[in-house]
Amino acid sequence: MMLPVLLLFLGLVGTSRSCQDPVSAYRFTGAVCRLTYPAAAVLNEKTTKVIEAAFQHTKYPSVDREKSILFVGRVKYGLANLEIHNLSIGRSEFELKAGEGIEMDISNVSAVFRGTIKYGYGSWLVNVGHSIDFEIESQIDLGINPKLYCGKGKVAADTSDCYLNFHKLHLLLQGDREPGWLKRLFTDFITFTVKLVIKSQVSNMKEFTDFESDDGGISVNVGVTSSPVITSNYIESYHKGLTQYNNITAVINASVFHPGQLSEDRMLYFWLSDELFNGLIKAAHLDGRFTLNISGLELTVGVQTNLSSPVPEFLSQFLLSAEPVLKVWSVSVPHLWTTPLGSSVRAVVGVELTSRAEDIRGLYFETEMVVVVVASYAEKKLALNTRVIEGHIGYLKEALVKIGVPKVTSELEPGLTALLDKQGVNLFDIIRPQVVSQDGFVIIQTDFGFPHHLLVEFLRKTLK
């Protein structure tokens, strides 16, 4: 029963490039999602009850049929107001078939179908008819062998390979007084309709959504670059990770991804390339996101309490003048690269100190900085720990390092956390997350829990 849930993970994670085989697509891949077998097993176990809840009171479209019967003539009949009640799943099992797909067996499914049969027959066939409420007690086995593939830049599932066996089908008509031939006709009709309904529900799970995150003009296209890979131990999908800004799309064509960079010990892995982050950084720079103004008490208290060097005389005059403002911004596009020590960012920073006082001249200088950023995620909040690589620095550079950099990271943390929350990360129970830095990429590995209410809502929307 985990097929619908895979939609969340493979969807969560430029000009569209046509789907390629995985090995060829590696160098165009900015992000990778790996869901391991233990995670799939937990999902399969935990979502059974959720799917039972999601199917309750689901309404289905009306179905109409017509049949010619000896001695009776043509019989028109239809099924309306079909609902499923008391759905229970006896057992759900799955297997990851390397290079093929997912084999799922759902057995001993008990359900009660309720609805209304409308019918008409005999000489009064036209515009005249009857209706009768019905109830069906059923017991079903369902097998699905979905094949994941890449279609129109999305992860999709071909669910045509499936079977449906009825072990029990007991039809109860209201009053149960209809002729035997009519009950047999309705039994055959309803059997067909129920099969059609269940198969249509499977088909509704067919196409997995792609995902594009938008943050005020800056978007990231994470459509897939190739078909997912399935081994006996994991399912892995490959995504573009292309930043789009003002009709300009980033290019990723030298990604260093290789499957051997990910292990199988944790439930969920995200692999993110430096190219993905540099695309975002460039767009943020062009959009003026890397600009910071510090003024008032925040500036004066920060300068007087956080720095080891004595405050120069000219700066003291600035701090005592009318409305002193310290402005810091990126002069050129910052560049990020990742090593096992963390992600380093090199930037040329412009610093301007101004005041409204006419007798005090402003101050401006530029300096190159390298900041090492180590990210962590705890209690549903992203934290950025920074370390500035520095040689001999004067007072103003010390101010930039000890006041400016922490201020920038403190501004970024809630914004990035909000972006993660927008994608629903805060809705999950993230367990022991780790951010691992390597040469040219970052790996986020974690275990997780699935909130019951989230799955119910997701499945109800999926099955509409």
Side-chain angles (χ1 to χ4, degrees):
M1 301 306 295
M2 68 175 184
L3 179 60
V5 183
L6 292 177
L7 172 54
L8 252 59
F9 289 105
L10 300 184
L12 287 174
V13 219
T15 301
S16 178
R17 179 176 295 272
S18 59
C19 297
Q20 307 174 53
D21 67 275
V23 175
S24 300
Y26 288 164
R27 65 191 185 98
F28 302 108
T29 295
V32 178
C33 174
R34 175 178 288 189
L35 186 77
T36 62
Y37 186 93
V42 169
L43 289 173
N44 184 66
E45 176 186 354
K46 298 296 183 182
T47 58
T48 297
K49 295 299 181 183
V50 174
I51 291 176
E52 292 175 353
F55 270 91
Q56 300 304 318
H57 307 295
T58 303
K59 295 184 181 297
Y60 303 94
S62 299
V63 180
D64 296 305
R65 290 288 182 273
E66 183 175 304
K67 189 177 182 67
S68 180
I69 299 178
L70 188 65
F71 304 122
V72 176
R74 302 188 67 81
V75 177
K76 290 184 177 180
Y77 50 94
L79 198 61
N81 305 321
L82 180 63
E83 296 182 356
I84 299 178
H85 296 262
N86 303 326
L87 177 71
S88 66
I89 300 172
R91 186 177 62 182
S92 176
E93 297 179 336
F94 78 97
E95 181 180 357
L96 301 182
K97 308 285 286 187
E100 297 182 20
I102 308 167
E103 184 176 285
M104 300 166 53
D105 291 306
I106 307 163
S107 59
N108 197 21
V109 180
S110 299
V112 174
F113 294 84
R114 293 174 183 164
T116 302
I117 296 175
K118 297 180 180 180
Y119 64 96
Y121 62 94
S123 59
W124 39 267
L125 190 68
V126 179
N127 296 324
V128 180
H130 296 276
S131 66
I132 186 170
D133 292 335
F134 72 90
E135 183 174 294
I136 308 170
E137 297 175 355
S138 65
Q139 193 167 7
I140 309 166
D141 287 346
L142 174 64
I144 313 172
N145 299 304
K147 304 294 189 297
L148 302 184
Y149 65 95
C150 174
K152 298 181 180 179
K154 304 178 182 181
V155 178
D158 179 1
T159 56
S160 59
D161 183 9
C162 62
Y163 69 86
L164 188 63
N165 291 330
F166 283 85
H167 297 291
K168 175 183 178 182
L169 186 65
H170 182 51
L171 173 64
L172 299 175
L173 299 177
Q174 188 182 47
D176 208 14
R177 297 175 181 175
E178 299 303 317
W181 64 265
L182 186 59
K183 186 170 182 178
R184 286 193 299 272
L185 171 64
F186 288 163
T187 299
D188 294 339
F189 167 55
I190 292 174
T191 300
F192 171 81
T193 303
V194 168
K195 288 182 179 179
L196 187 67
V197 164
I198 295 178
K199 286 192 174 184
S200 70
Q201 290 299 167
V202 174
S203 298
N204 282 341
M205 304 176 197
K206 178 178 180 179
E207 194 167 82
F208 290 0
T209 58
D210 59 354
F211 171 74
E212 187 170 294
S213 172
D214 193 314
D215 180 24
I218 300 175
S219 62
V220 181
N221 181 342
V222 290
V224 295
T225 58
S226 74
S227 297
V229 166
I230 298 180
T231 73
S232 59
N233 297 321
Y234 61 80
I235 303 172
E236 189 166 84
S237 59
Y238 311 101
H239 304 264
K240 299 172 185 176
L242 300 179
T243 301
Q244 297 171 326
Y245 175 72
N246 279 355
N247 298 320
I248 299 174
T249 301
V251 175
I252 295 178
N253 55 20
S255 175
V256 298
F257 174 75
H258 187 275
Q261 295 163 348
L262 298 177
S263 64
E264 302 168 15
D265 301 326
R266 306 297 299 275
M267 294 173 68
L268 183 65
Y269 294 83
F270 292 105
W271 182 99
L272 305 171
S273 70
D274 284 357
E275 287 89 345
L276 184 154
F277 290 118
N278 276 313
L280 281 170
I281 289 172
K282 181 178 181 179
H285 167 79
L286 294 175
D287 200 48
R289 305 289 183 97
F290 298 143
T291 300
L292 177 67
N293 292 310
I294 306 175
S295 61
L297 286 176
E298 185 177 21
L299 175 61
T300 56
V301 172
V303 167
Q304 294 170 355
T305 61
N306 292 337
L307 306 183
S308 58
S309 305
V311 181
E313 180 62 27
F314 78 91
L315 187 56
S316 295
Q317 294 180 10
F318 258 111
L319 297 177
L320 294 174
S321 66
E323 300 181 17
V325 177
L326 176 66
K327 181 180 179 181
V328 181
W329 70 96
S330 57
V331 175
S332 58
V333 178
H335 177 69
L336 175 144
W337 71 97
T338 304
T339 70
L341 298 178
S343 294
S344 301
V345 180
R346 177 183 285 112
V348 176
V349 180
V351 181
E352 184 178 44
L353 191 59
T354 58
S355 170
R356 291 184 60 186
E358 296 181 357
D359 58 338
I360 297 181
R361 296 177 58 187
L363 175 69
Y364 173 80
F365 71 93
E366 295 180 3
T367 183
E368 184 179 83
M369 299 186 63
V370 177
V371 181
V372 179
V373 182
V374 178
S376 60
Y377 187 85
E379 298 180 352
K380 302 189 183 300
K381 292 182 180 179
L382 180 72
L384 301 175
N385 301 310
T386 59
R387 177 172 58 87
V388 178
I389 299 177
E390 56 187 89
H392 174 72
I393 60 174
Y395 181 86
L396 291 176
K397 286 190 177 181
E398 183 185 4
L400 182 59
V401 169
K402 295 186 177 180
I403 300 175
V405 172
K407 177 65 175 177
V408 169
T409 55
S410 68
E411 294 282 342
L412 286 175
E413 286 172 345
L416 291 173
T417 299
L419 182 61
L420 293 173
D421 292 348
K422 184 179 178 181
Q423 309 311 326
V425 174
N426 61 322
L427 300 176
F428 298 89
D429 298 324
I430 306 298
I431 302 170
R432 296 186 299 112
Q434 291 178 298
V435 180
V436 181
S437 301
Q438 296 295 337
D439 291 322
F441 60 92
V442 170
I443 297 172
I444 302 172
Q445 53 192 36
T446 185
D447 298 327
F448 62 87
F450 234 128
H452 182 91
H453 67 89
L454 179 64
L455 270 177
V456 170
E457 284 303 311
F458 168 72
L459 289 171
R460 280 178 175 162
K461 291 177 181 178
T462 302
L463 298 174
K464 283 182 179 179

